[in-house]
C-alpha cells in the first residue's frame, strides 16, 4: 500500500508517504540526504517516508492526497536507493473513494446501533464494513472510503475492528466527504440506484 499526501502551504515542499498503519506504535525516524524513514521502534518495520524538497525530484500540483504515477514512484525508488534505504515502493493507482452496493446489512450482535454490511465495490470485491449510521440499509448505493483513503478531515482509513467485528473501509456521510451542497442530515450519503457500482467518486479537498 502506498498512501501519499502533499501540502506545500501547510508543511512545505515535503511529500509524506505512508506504507502501514502507525497508530499505537512508538515511532522513530532516520534521515539520509533529503529522505526520512519513519519506523516502528520495537519491530523496525517501516511505516513511511518523508521526501523533503520533493520538487527536486518531480512537481506536484495537488493539495492533499496525491496519486503517484509509476514514473514518479520509480524516481522515488531511485532516490531511496541512492540514500541507502532498502525499501521498494509500488505505485497504487486504484481509486480510494468508490461507489458501493450494500448487498447485506444485519444488526451487530454486540451493539444496539451498529450494523454489519457486506458491500460490493470496484472489481466485484465485497468488503465487510461496520457502519453506525441510522439510515444504512440493504440495497443502497453508497460512497465507500477504502483502506488507504485520506478523508477531507485528514483521517486515514485503515483496517479495523468494531465491537469484535472486522471492518475494512468506511461508508461515508455527506459531511465526511465535505459535500457542502448536500443537506447536513444525520446518516450516510445514499446515491441514486442507477449509480454504477465500483465507479470512482470524486472528493474535493
Amino acid at each position: 500500500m502506498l498512501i501519499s499526501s502533499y501540502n506545500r502551504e501547510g508543511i512545505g515542499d515535503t511529500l509524506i508517504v505512508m506504507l502501514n498503519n502507525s497508530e499505537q506504535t512508538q515511532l522513530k525516524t532516520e534521515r539520509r540526504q533529503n529522505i526520512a524513514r519513519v519506523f516502528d521502534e520495537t519491530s523496525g518495520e517501516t511505516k513511511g517516508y518523508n521526501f523533503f524538497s520533493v520538487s527536486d525530484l518531480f512537481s506536484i500540483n495537488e493539495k492533499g492526497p496525491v496519486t503517484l504515477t509509476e514514473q514518479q514512484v520509480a524516481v522515488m525508488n531511485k532516490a531511496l536507493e541512492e540514500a541507502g534505504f532498502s525499501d521498494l515502493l509500488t505505485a497504487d493507482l486504484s481509486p480510494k473513494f468508490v461507489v458501493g452496493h450494500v448487498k447485506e446489512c444485519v444488526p451487530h450482535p454486540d451493539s444496539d446501533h451498529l450494523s454489519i454490511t457486506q458491500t460490493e465495490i470496484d472489481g466485484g470485491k465485497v468488503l465487510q464494513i461496520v457502519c453506525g449510521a441510522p439510515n444504512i440499509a440493504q440495497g443502497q448505493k453508497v460512497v465507500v472510503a477504502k483502506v488507504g483513503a485520506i478523508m477531507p478531515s485528514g483521517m486515514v482509513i485503515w483496517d479495523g475492528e468494531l465491537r469484535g467485528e472486522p471492518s475494512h473501509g468506511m461508508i461515508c456521510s455527506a459531511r465526511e466527504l465535505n459535500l457542502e451542497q448536500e443537506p447536513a442530515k444525520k446518516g450516510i450519503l445514499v446515491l441514486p440506484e442507477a449509480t454504477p457500482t465500483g465507479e470512482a467518486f470524486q472528493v474535493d479537498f
Side-chain angles (χ1 to χ4, degrees):
M1 182 179 299
L2 181 63
I3 306 167
S4 53
S5 64
Y6 182 78
N7 184 350
R8 184 159 192 152
E9 294 178 1
I11 61 173
D13 189 24
T14 301
L15 179 68
I16 297 175
V17 174
M18 291 171 277
L19 304 177
N20 293 287
N21 189 356
S22 60
E23 296 175 358
Q24 300 180 348
T25 57
Q26 187 68 35
L27 299 177
K28 291 193 70 175
T29 61
E30 60 171 324
R31 179 164 177 168
R32 302 177 186 176
Q33 299 179 22
N34 275 342
I35 304 174
R37 173 179 172 253
V38 182
F39 62 96
D40 184 332
E41 183 178 18
T42 301
S43 67
E45 179 185 29
T46 301
K47 297 295 184 178
Y49 283 96
N50 295 333
F51 287 79
F52 303 106
S53 301
V54 70
S55 294
D56 292 342
L57 300 178
F58 47 76
S59 61
I60 300 176
N61 298 319
E62 299 100 311
K63 177 182 177 181
V66 177
T67 301
L68 297 168
T69 66
E70 292 184 352
Q71 182 179 6
Q72 288 172 324
V73 172
V75 171
M76 293 164 64
N77 280 331
K78 182 178 180 182
L80 286 171
E81 182 182 7
E82 291 176 348
F85 291 111
S86 59
D87 290 300
L88 186 66
L89 306 179
T90 303
D92 182 0
L93 303 177
S94 64
K96 292 298 178 284
F97 294 90
V98 297
V99 176
H101 176 216
V102 182
K103 300 175 73 67
E104 179 183 303
C105 181
V106 298
H108 192 296
D110 190 31
S111 172
D112 60 0
H113 70 282
L114 296 175
S115 299
I116 302 173
T117 76
Q118 304 298 324
T119 302
E120 182 181 353
I121 59 168
D122 49 326
K125 185 176 182 180
V126 177
L127 302 176
Q128 176 166 301
I129 301 176
V130 179
C131 180
N135 64 329
I136 186 72
Q138 181 176 332
Q140 290 173 333
K141 293 294 182 69
V142 296
V143 180
V144 174
K146 300 193 296 185
V147 171
I150 301 178
M151 303 298 295
S153 66
M155 179 179 71
V156 180
I157 303 301
W158 301 104
D159 287 312
E161 188 175 285
L162 291 172
R163 296 284 187 92
E165 291 291 338
S167 186
H168 307 290
M170 185 172 77
I171 297 175
C172 305
S173 69
R175 179 176 296 179
E176 288 165 336
L177 295 168
N178 202 27
L179 299 178
E180 296 181 357
Q181 73 274 20
E182 295 292 336
K185 60 183 180 182
K186 190 174 181 180
I188 50 99
L189 175 65
V190 180
L191 302 173
E193 291 184 10
T195 310
T197 300
E199 182 177 79
F201 188 89
Q202 182 64 42
V203 177
D204 295 324
F205 289 83

